[in-house]
Amino acid sequence: KGNGSGSNYGFCIEDAIEAGEISPKNGSISSDKAIEMLKKEKDKLELGLITQDDYDKKKLELVKFIK
């Protein structure tokens, strides 16, 4: 599978499209996948792997997909 290249969110777009998590037509992410990704980012923040600023930027990108 892919290596996540070209992604700021630590997932591979090709894998996500194949799994039906992202629509290749509009690039949207499923609500469940966005929540999963946000939780992973929160874990990284709590572990000190990313900054609060990094987390906030990713959160802004992901929340628009959460229903």
Side-chain angles (χ1 to χ4, degrees):
K1 299 258 174 171
N3 64 8
S5 298
S7 169
N8 292 329
Y9 299 107
F11 70 99
C12 178
I13 291 180
E14 291 84 8
D15 292 346
I17 290 171
E18 184 179 310
E21 296 162 345
I22 297 177
S23 169
K25 292 182 181 177
N26 62 12
S28 67
I29 300 169
S30 72
S31 181
D32 289 343
K33 184 62 178 178
I35 291 169
E36 177 186 329
M37 293 167 65
L38 187 56
K39 286 180 179 180
K40 286 181 181 180
E41 294 305 316
K42 182 69 169 178
D43 289 344
K44 289 179 188 177
L45 175 63
E46 290 172 356
L47 291 168
L49 300 173
I50 62 172
T51 66
Q52 183 69 47
D53 188 50
D54 292 334
Y55 174 77
D56 291 342
K57 288 176 185 175
K58 291 178 184 184
K59 181 180 177 183
L60 281 174
E61 290 295 317
L62 292 171
V63 295
K64 61 187 170 186
F65 299 110
I66 298 173
K67 297 176 185 171

